[in-house]
Amino acid sequence: MKKGLVILGAGLILLLISGAAMAQVKNPAMIRTAYSAMDANGDGVVTVTEHAAFWQGRFREIDAENDGKLTAAEFNAAEKRFFGDMDTDDDGALLAKEYIAFWCGPKALEPAKSKAKTKTKKKLDANKNGKIGDDECVAFWVAEIYDVDANQDGKVTSEEYMAAMAAAFKEIDKDRNGLISIEEHAYFISKKAGAAKK
Ligand SMILES: [Ca+2]
Ligand SMILES: [Ca+2]
Ligand SMILES: [Ca+2]
Ligand SMILES: [Ca+2]
């Protein structure tokens, strides 16, 4: 009986490993973007509610110890995974089109070069209609990329990204106790969407 369980366990682990290996395969057509995960009901529109629910789910995944708080190590590990998922051509740098495809979906287009450089920070739901439109999403991420791309060469390297995420950790950790609580995270996400009341 015990032996059977061990074999079963080993089989399960193998299954998990092969599943993980398959998920690693980079195929732009098959990759599950944040956008497709966010649009929970698949109607092609990401609402502020779906956006918040997506991040609640990510928080639970990232919180490896499941204690409702994220350590810097948990946060950094998750951000490294996001970087890898966004870098669909695996060249170690993120271009605006990679960011936009990942966060805003395949229909969202990178704006023309002249419009791309903007320092103006916008909310995801800038017009506050409860929906994150493609144009709103693109405008938000273009401004975000401008911030993260420290040397302004149009490419976000892993170093630039992780440096920006270290700064983001400090921003999210409002009470500065070195941990991001569910509440701190939810507040940050709602502020980003434009739905914060406080
Ligand atoms: Ca939807
Ligand atoms: Ca890339
Ligand atoms: Ca750069
Ligand atoms: Ca905290």
Side-chain angles (χ1 to χ4, degrees):
M1 186 64 198
K2 250 189 184 165
K3 201 176 172 189
L5 276 177
V6 169
I7 292 167
L8 200 81
L12 195 68
I13 288 165
L14 271 175
L15 258 174
L16 287 172
I17 291 170
S18 61
M22 273 166 71
Q24 296 279 309
V25 174
K26 302 263 181 167
N27 181 338
M30 289 194 41
I31 215 154
R32 192 163 163 78
T33 60
Y35 176 85
S36 64
M38 259 187 248
D39 181 15
N41 68 355
D43 68 349
V45 177
V46 173
T47 64
V48 169
T49 310
E50 284 175 329
H51 179 255
F54 168 81
W55 281 108
Q56 272 167 24
R58 295 295 77 68
F59 187 100
R60 276 184 239 115
E61 275 174 22
I62 299 166
D63 181 16
E65 293 165 331
N66 203 25
D67 62 354
K69 294 180 173 70
L70 304 184
T71 63
E74 286 171 335
F75 185 81
N76 289 343
E79 289 303 342
K80 278 207 180 97
R81 284 199 301 275
F82 271 126
F83 187 94
D85 287 348
M86 281 189 270
D87 184 16
T88 43
D89 66 0
D90 267 326
D91 69 347
L94 302 179
L95 300 175
K97 66 176 179 188
E98 286 174 319
Y99 262 97
I100 288 166
F102 187 76
W103 291 105
C104 307
K107 297 193 307 302
L109 293 174
E110 189 182 353
K113 269 276 183 297
S114 57
K115 282 188 186 171
K117 291 211 169 178
T118 170
K119 282 184 192 172
T120 324
K121 273 272 181 184
K122 288 192 177 133
K123 304 294 183 188
L124 275 165
D125 179 17
N127 69 359
K128 292 191 182 286
N129 70 344
K131 294 168 191 157
I132 300 168
D134 286 351
D135 50 338
E136 288 174 324
C137 186
V138 170
F140 175 90
W141 283 102
V142 164
E144 179 79 11
I145 296 157
Y146 187 89
D147 272 3
V148 176
D149 182 14
N151 68 353
Q152 301 292 310
D153 69 346
K155 287 179 187 171
V156 173
T157 63
S158 170
E159 290 73 24
E160 286 171 330
Y161 185 78
M162 293 312 289
M165 290 309 112
F169 185 93
K170 285 186 187 147
E171 190 190 338
I172 303 168
D173 178 17
K174 282 192 85 175
D175 67 1
R176 307 261 164 121
N177 70 343
L179 298 165
I180 294 177
S181 66
I182 291 181
E183 295 76 20
E184 285 170 335
H185 193 257
Y187 176 72
F188 177 78
I189 293 303
S190 68
K191 203 171 63 167
K192 203 162 138 174
K197 288 174 193 83
K198 279 179 258 180

